[in-house]
Amino acid sequence: MSLTFYQSRVRQSFHRLPTLGLPLAFFFVSLSWQVAILLSTKFVVTPQLTDPKLFSLIVLALGLSSIGRDASEGLLPVLLTRPLRRSSYVLGHWAALGTVASFWALFHGLLQWGFILSTTPSPPRVEELLYNLFGRVTLCFGMAATLVCFSTRLPAWGNILLWGLLYYVADRVLPGLGKDESVRYAFVVRQYLLGLLLPELDFRQTFAASPISWFRLTTYLSNVSLLLLLGIHIFNRREVSYASR
């Protein structure tokens, strides 16, 4: 992986309006919502740390700046003429997307923790905070692998639309099919599909268990590795010319 390319992608994420404005909007809405609940209940309801899966919205917003966008803007042929391996290009996108998304997720978690400490006499334990933050990071890097894999073949916004379509199928269509005894396999398909769309490693159930749940760890790592290898394979077979946009 090219460190220079990775650094340029990270810096770029803080200069584009969508990849900067949408995470900030998420910050404002989520924290304002918790403040409103706290005031409306007169400090009776204790604020809780946000579920890591909710940060899929931030990863989706940042995923707008990916390989498909480079292709649609005509930057892809120029980038590939430089001494940059295609595998390094794909991995650089993945690492940059995961890093920036993790930054916003961790920053939000620390702000939220400070808010809970200042408003609640008995906040959650520090280990609860660490479990939550680790879960956010694994979700960010896991979803980054999914979106980058999709973007190796699809144009700008295509990876987000495909992710949304598959998530709709997993969340709305397959549970309805699973009610029929003849299509119970729909639940199995749903679990595999959600594992690819929302790859998250629950640190509490993985490392706090006795013994350590190696199955969860290997499943997460294998899903992320499979998506990255598939994305590299597809991108290596992609034909790029200066006439393509």
Side-chain angles (χ1 to χ4, degrees):
M1 185 180 70
S2 173
L3 181 60
T4 302
F5 178 75
Y6 162 77
Q7 293 174 338
S8 67
R9 286 298 169 178
V10 170
R11 288 194 298 267
Q12 186 183 61
S13 297
F14 292 98
H15 289 84
R16 288 181 179 271
L17 180 60
T19 55
L20 182 60
L22 292 178
L24 290 176
F26 175 85
F27 269 48
F28 177 77
V29 172
S30 62
L31 294 178
S32 298
W33 175 256
Q34 287 198 329
V35 171
I37 292 178
L38 195 66
L39 294 177
S40 63
T41 59
K42 298 180 180 180
F43 293 83
V44 174
V45 176
T46 303
Q48 300 294 327
L49 291 171
T50 304
D51 185 354
K53 285 187 173 56
L54 189 59
F55 286 88
S56 60
L57 299 176
I58 287 184
V59 188
L60 290 173
L62 296 173
L64 297 173
S65 178
S66 195
I67 298 174
R69 188 182 186 94
D70 287 346
S72 298
E73 294 181 350
L75 298 176
L76 188 57
V78 178
L79 291 172
L80 294 181
T81 57
R82 299 179 179 181
L84 178 66
R85 294 173 60 91
R86 291 196 175 201
S87 59
S88 297
Y89 177 77
V90 175
L91 292 176
H93 266 288
W94 165 71
L97 176 55
T99 300
V100 177
S102 297
F103 166 79
W104 288 114
L106 293 176
F107 186 42
H108 178 275
L110 294 177
L111 285 179
Q112 194 175 40
W113 177 253
F115 173 71
I116 294 175
L117 284 177
S118 62
T119 57
T120 305
S122 56
R125 293 177 297 178
V126 176
E127 64 181 30
E128 298 292 333
L129 171 66
L130 295 178
Y131 285 141
N132 187 278
L133 295 181
F134 282 137
R136 299 182 187 200
V137 172
T138 59
L139 177 70
C140 290
F141 278 95
M143 281 192 64
T146 303
L147 295 177
V148 167
C149 178
F150 290 168
S151 68
T152 55
R153 196 64 215 172
L154 298 173
W157 293 75
N159 56 345
I160 310 298
L161 294 177
L162 178 59
W163 189 96
L165 175 62
L166 293 177
Y167 183 79
Y168 175 81
V169 171
D171 189 57
R172 299 295 181 181
V173 178
L174 292 179
L177 295 177
K179 296 179 180 179
D180 190 349
E181 289 290 340
S182 61
V183 287
R184 287 292 183 181
Y185 65 88
F187 282 113
V188 178
V189 176
R190 180 176 184 269
Q191 292 301 318
Y192 278 107
L193 193 55
L194 288 178
L196 293 176
L197 296 177
L198 295 169
E200 178 195 354
L201 183 62
D202 191 325
F203 272 66
R204 178 195 304 279
Q205 299 184 20
T206 303
F207 297 105
S210 180
I212 294 176
S213 179
W214 295 108
F215 175 76
R216 292 179 179 273
L217 179 61
T218 54
T219 299
Y220 173 80
L221 294 177
S222 61
N223 285 342
V224 173
S225 300
L226 175 63
L227 289 166
L228 291 176
L229 290 174
L230 181 60
I232 291 173
H233 173 72
I234 295 174
F235 194 65
N236 282 335
R237 298 174 61 88
R238 179 171 182 169
E239 295 183 3
V240 180
S241 65
Y242 282 97
S244 63
R245 289 190 61 86

